[in-house]
Amino acid sequence: MDSALSDPHNGSAEAGGPTNSTTRPPSTPEGIALAYGSLLLMALLPIFFGALRSVRCARGKNASDMPETITSRDAARFPIIASCTLLGLYLFFKIFSQEYINLLLSMYFFVLGILALSHTISPFMNKFFPATFPNRQYQLLFTQGSGENKEEIINYEFDTKDLVCLGLSSIVGVWYLLRKHWIANNLFGLAFSLNGVELLHLNNVSTGCILLGGLFIYDVFWVFGTNVMVTVAKSFEAPIKLVFPQDLLEKGLEANNFAMLGLGDVVIPGIFIALLLRFDISLKKNTHTYFYTSFAAYIFGLGLTIFIMHIFKHAQPALLYLVPACIGFPVLVALAKGEVTEMFSYESSAEILPHTPRLTHFPTVSGSPASLADSMQQKLAGPRRRRPQNPSAM
């Protein structure tokens, strides 16, 4: 997980910026302000809309859109798993050819990016299809075994509208694969972030505090304690970060002096903010106090990160500033309103997610609406079967 915010405008290329043999000229104040403002806006969009979609996702009955719930045990293990993954990537880049590793990663994220972007734009695209559009239903089904032992590996239903969205997303995918253009990178990064906030659910506030606290230590250690995260981010050519050029005003779309923000700094606070939105709804007071408080706290924390980074001219672990803000502000509001007990006793999975599975593996592209919902109901009513393995979530 890349979760450092970097600023290469001082001539260096930290945390993933492209390297040159010559020092870049310093960016203009206007270019820097535009880059930082754009990064902030790009971070806020998937959090806001992903949180809203997480509520609909939690209340929905489609098995294809069932969220994955993170428990306290998952949260405690996550920083360890992330550290092992980060160190493993670091060793891979040191031992093996960076070119071949990035080729494999590019193909992997090419597929994931297309699927994530298709899922993201599908609700918006459906509004543009006319009522007379010839929409046909399709099904992709893979099973294992026979008779009563038959298990569904993939049961993916889709329609013509889904194919159109997939085709449009594939154009972006090819553009990214061939050019590695920063706009294509950001389209994939925004799609990954929105899907993460929408589909990854914390089961309660305590779990969120464990997850954010653990990743707070993870982020600080790997950014300030070693050069591992910066080295991996430099070498890792994948849409795992949002970027914006600071020399856009001078060079246009071919600009290459990037400020960047790791997707971990969007998704991790984002799923906590989405949890607080669902908590607001559970209070049935027709207010979103905790959601707006945490959203404002995120803006404050990220703004402080950018300010500190700009002053010290060094990549910053954004979670160092985001975690205290995103946890502290809502807790202070709860103390003022006398709702601390309600906040920490709220169970998202019990309130509106009665049948949400635990996050025990990485979920996959699983498919669609009707048949998967029927399939889930049959599984709940019939003999217990092994849950399909889903390898595709971020």
Side-chain angles (χ1 to χ4, degrees):
M1 180 197 309
D2 177 18
S3 45
L5 184 110
S6 91
D7 164 38
H9 82 270
N10 59 346
S12 66
E14 295 177 343
T19 56
N20 291 332
S21 57
T22 60
T23 302
R24 298 191 185 102
S27 302
T28 63
E30 294 82 4
I32 294 172
L34 178 62
Y36 289 161
S38 299
L39 283 180
L40 180 60
L41 178 62
M42 286 192 291
L44 295 178
L45 288 175
I47 292 177
F48 186 84
F49 290 105
L52 295 179
R53 287 175 60 155
S54 78
V55 176
R56 292 195 293 269
C57 173
R59 289 174 168 173
K61 297 181 179 179
N62 292 336
S64 62
D65 293 327
M66 285 291 285
E68 294 286 343
T69 297
I70 302 175
T71 66
S72 57
R73 182 180 179 184
D74 301 322
R77 293 187 301 184
F78 193 83
I80 301 173
I81 296 172
S83 295
C84 293
T85 303
L86 182 66
L87 185 59
L89 285 171
Y90 176 79
L91 295 176
F92 266 97
F93 281 118
K94 289 293 184 181
I95 297 172
F96 301 104
S97 170
Q98 179 177 324
E99 178 183 355
Y100 295 114
I101 296 175
N102 278 320
L103 179 62
L104 292 175
L105 292 174
S106 294
M107 295 304 298
Y108 177 69
F109 281 97
F110 167 75
V111 175
L112 284 186
I114 290 174
L115 296 173
L117 187 58
S118 177
H119 180 266
T120 300
I121 67 174
S122 180
F124 304 103
M125 290 298 298
N126 286 337
K127 299 177 182 178
F128 295 98
F129 289 106
T132 56
F133 183 81
N135 195 32
R136 295 184 178 181
Q137 301 293 324
Y138 304 93
Q139 182 179 21
L140 181 64
L141 178 64
F142 286 94
T143 61
Q144 177 178 295
S146 60
E148 294 183 356
N149 296 323
K150 182 180 291 186
E151 296 180 3
E152 291 182 357
I153 306 301
I154 295 176
N155 189 349
Y156 184 59
E157 282 198 354
F158 54 97
D159 55 29
T160 309
K161 294 179 180 179
D162 294 324
L163 292 177
V164 172
C165 293
L166 194 66
L168 293 174
S169 301
S170 298
I171 295 174
V172 177
V174 172
W175 182 25
Y176 171 77
L177 196 63
L178 297 178
R179 296 290 304 277
K180 295 293 192 299
H181 198 277
W182 60 272
I183 295 179
N185 174 92
N186 286 344
L187 289 174
F188 277 173
L190 290 170
F192 287 141
S193 299
L194 191 144
N195 278 274
V197 175
E198 176 187 359
L199 299 174
L200 293 176
H201 287 193
L202 296 164
N203 64 349
N204 55 48
V205 173
S206 298
T207 298
C209 292
I210 293 172
L211 179 65
L212 267 67
L215 290 175
F216 172 91
I217 298 172
Y218 158 89
D219 212 14
V220 171
F221 173 77
W222 289 112
V223 173
F224 285 151
T226 72
N227 69 336
V228 171
M229 184 176 288
V230 172
T231 301
V232 170
K234 279 184 179 181
S235 308
F236 202 89
E237 294 181 4
I240 59 167
K241 49 190 176 284
L242 300 174
V243 301
F244 199 90
Q246 301 187 36
D247 52 349
L248 179 68
L249 299 177
E250 292 80 21
K251 296 184 179 180
L253 295 181
E254 298 304 318
N256 59 2
N257 186 18
F258 297 107
M260 56 197 68
L261 177 69
L263 296 189
D265 298 325
V266 179
V267 175
I268 299 303
I271 61 178
F272 186 75
I273 293 171
L275 171 68
L276 293 179
L277 174 59
R278 299 194 296 275
F279 171 61
D280 274 324
I281 294 173
S282 74
L283 294 176
K284 297 180 173 63
K285 294 183 178 180
N286 295 322
T287 61
H288 295 158
T289 304
Y290 294 101
F291 171 66
Y292 289 127
T293 299
S294 57
F295 196 73
Y298 182 86
I299 296 174
F300 170 79
L302 190 56
L304 181 60
T305 306
I306 292 172
F307 174 76
I308 298 295
M309 180 188 63
H310 183 67
I311 294 299
F312 291 98
K313 305 293 188 295
H314 188 277
Q316 295 294 312
L319 294 181
L320 173 64
Y321 311 96
L322 290 172
V323 169
C326 290
I327 294 178
F329 283 30
V331 169
L332 289 176
V333 171
L335 283 170
K337 298 180 68 174
E339 294 177 342
V340 175
T341 302
E342 289 87 343
M343 173 184 282
F344 282 89
S345 62
Y346 167 71
E347 287 283 341
S348 176
S349 56
E351 182 72 25
I352 52 179
L353 305 175
H355 302 298
T356 303
R358 286 181 64 249
L359 179 59
T360 56
H361 61 281
F362 290 106
T364 178
V365 181
S366 90
S368 206
S371 78
L372 286 181
D374 294 339
S375 173
M376 178 66 73
Q377 291 173 1
Q378 292 172 7
K379 290 182 180 181
L380 293 174
R384 187 180 182 93
R385 294 180 181 176
R386 185 171 63 87
R387 191 174 169 212
Q389 296 300 309
N390 293 334
S392 79
M394 283 292 301

